[in-house]
Structures are given as structure tokens and as C-alpha cells.
Amino acid sequence: MSNLYQQLTPLLPVGAAILDAGCGSGRDALNFKKMGFDVEAFDASKAMSEAASQLVGHKVHCCTFMEFSSQKSFDAIWACASLLHVPHKHLPETFEHLAQFLSNEGKFIVSFKYGDSERQEGERHFTDMNEERFEQVIRDVGGLTIRKTWLTSDNRPQNETMWFNAILHKL
């Protein structure tokens, strides 16, 4: 994940506040904490939020993207392979909700599987993203602009999934 970290961390002040939105096991939250950042995290899965709490050594909230609330303002939101579980039609409102927790000039990094479809795999929903779909979603969201988009290969061996990544900037 260091290639994604390297896209975000140089844009942040020392000790920046990062929100890990949909943190899963807490891997990224822990890495940001080790880098000296002030990290808050949440996940919609009770099991994942409990596992992440154990890993990072402090409470990880259990809530959905739309349930998340904080009095704190964040320099960055990290949503690595998490917003891909939000149906495409709900992405604008989800981005808008989360963006309210960004400080002015805050950064919002996201990753989705590359493509232009949606599917259900068991109980999990997946929304794929490409440049055109992403621009359409962000056009419907106030206060965020696209700073950069790029594609990466999956880090897991033998996995040919391509990932669409983007950094947004709050005006």
C-alpha cells in the first residue's frame, strides 16, 4: 500500500488528522499512526471495527458512512476500497456527507475496482469506477474537485484486478 500512501502523505502537514473511512481490519489506520498522523477510523462491520480497535490500540467506531459524525475536522479522508460498497446512485450524497468533516484544503483519497458496472456478490454490493463515472459523481458533489486520478494493479499475487484511484481536494 506504500504506493498509495506516497500519493497522499506528501500533501499533508506533519501530524495531520486522517479519517480512515471504512477501515476494515485497521491495516491503513495503523500504518498512518506509525507515520505519526492523528488517526480516527470507522467501519460498518462490528467484527471489523473490533479487530481494528485491537490492532490500532484505540477505539474504532462501528458505523456506516452516512452514520459517521464527528466534531473534529480532518486534513484527509482515506477511503481505500471501501466506498466501492456504496451503490452508485448514493455516492454523491455519501461524498458530500463525508466531505463536511474535511478541513479547508483537505484531501480525500479513494479507490474502486476499475470498470463501469455494479454487482451483488452474496451480501456485498460492489460499484466499479472509471474516469467518466467518477467525474459524473463528483460533478454532483459541492466543494470537491478532482486533483488526480490514476490506475494501479492489485497488490495480491495472481490477481489481475485494476484499481481506479483518485485524490479529491476540498475548496
Side-chain angles (χ1 to χ4, degrees):
M1 298 306 296
S2 62
N3 60 343
L4 286 181
Y5 299 154
Q6 290 170 1
Q7 295 292 324
L8 176 64
T9 57
L11 305 174
L12 301 176
V14 173
I18 299 176
L19 174 63
D20 189 347
C23 68
S25 67
R27 170 200 67 199
D28 297 328
L30 177 63
N31 283 323
F32 287 130
K33 184 177 175 182
K34 286 180 178 178
M35 288 182 227
F37 293 106
D38 175 19
V39 181
E40 190 168 327
F42 72 89
D43 197 273
S45 162
K46 184 173 170 44
M48 286 294 197
S49 62
E50 289 174 354
S53 293
Q54 290 291 325
L55 185 66
V56 300
H58 62 76
K59 175 136 180 74
V60 169
H61 308 284
C62 182
C63 62
T64 67
F65 296 114
M66 296 302 288
E67 291 170 340
F68 178 77
S69 183
S70 178
Q71 298 299 313
K72 189 174 185 174
S73 182
F74 297 91
D75 299 299
I77 295 176
W78 174 267
C80 184
S82 58
L83 288 172
L84 57 76
H85 296 299
V86 176
H88 185 265
K89 68 180 181 181
H90 296 301
L91 280 171
E93 66 191 90
T94 304
F95 272 105
E96 217 164 83
H97 174 74
L98 291 173
Q100 71 180 310
F101 303 108
L102 272 176
S103 61
N104 289 336
E105 306 296 321
K107 309 300 183 274
F108 196 145
I109 189 166
V110 298
S111 60
F112 293 83
K113 290 183 179 185
Y114 190 67
D116 61 2
S117 63
E118 289 188 78
R119 67 194 164 285
Q120 200 70 26
E121 293 179 12
E123 304 230 349
R124 298 175 81 191
H125 179 88
F126 289 89
T127 297
D128 297 338
M129 197 61 64
N130 61 26
E131 296 84 352
E132 185 179 323
R133 282 170 59 104
F134 192 68
E135 286 174 13
Q136 184 181 41
V137 167
I138 298 308
R139 193 172 32 240
D140 294 338
V141 178
L144 292 175
T145 59
I146 299 170
R147 180 184 175 110
K148 177 181 181 177
T149 64
W150 73 101
L151 299 178
T152 53
S153 300
D154 199 290
N155 288 333
R156 297 168 290 189
Q158 310 301 318
N159 190 319
E160 296 180 16
T161 301
M162 290 300 293
W163 290 87
F164 173 84
N165 309 283
I167 296 179
L168 301 164
H169 182 88
K170 184 173 180 180
L171 304 173

